[in-house]
Amino acid sequence: MKEEYLIFKEFNDIEVASHIAELLKNNHIDTVIENNKETSSVWGTNNFNNDIKLKITSKNFITAQSIIENYYKELVRSAPEDYYLFQLVCLIPSS
């Protein structure tokens, strides 16, 4: 029986969705991107609709979320200590 792909994340930017999909694929999680965004955009239209769906099987939801969290934690760890955003209210606990 073929497993159904369910919406895992929604995006308004195809590049971000593709990047996350590639990250998951590199960690052996099959993905499907469903792009419902109109190809022709008129100047001044609202481009903030989450019309791009990243789908995976439900059995991979927890693993996929963990992969994404670890990816972003590593990005934060690799940023220079004097990175300007760290000078703002620090919301990220140091480890």
Side-chain angles (χ1 to χ4, degrees):
M1 182 175 165
K2 188 175 178 180
E3 289 193 66
E4 182 181 3
Y5 284 77
L6 304 173
I7 297 170
F8 175 63
K9 299 277 183 192
E10 297 178 317
F11 302 90
N12 62 4
D13 185 323
I14 190 65
E15 289 181 23
V16 175
S18 297
H19 181 74
I20 297 298
E22 189 66 28
L23 175 66
L24 296 177
K25 287 177 187 177
N26 289 341
N27 284 277
H28 313 290
I29 295 179
D30 291 329
T31 63
V32 172
I33 293 179
E34 199 173 89
N35 187 353
N36 297 318
K37 219 177 212 357
E38 292 182 20
T39 55
S40 62
S41 111
V42 178
W43 178 260
T45 59
N46 180 352
N47 290 325
F48 297 111
N49 295 331
N50 292 336
D51 295 327
I52 302 163
K53 316 291 189 221
L54 176 62
K55 295 183 172 185
I56 62 175
T57 58
S58 62
K59 71 178 182 181
N60 288 319
F61 271 46
I62 293 171
T63 304
Q65 186 62 37
S66 178
I67 289 167
I68 293 168
E69 286 175 12
N70 289 334
Y71 171 76
Y72 283 112
K73 283 179 185 177
E74 188 54 39
L75 279 180
V76 170
R77 279 190 212 104
S78 66
E81 287 184 26
D82 62 346
Y83 187 63
Y84 78 99
L85 288 178
F86 292 143
Q87 304 303 317
L88 301 173
V89 177
C90 186
L91 301 176
I92 302 168
S94 59
S95 48

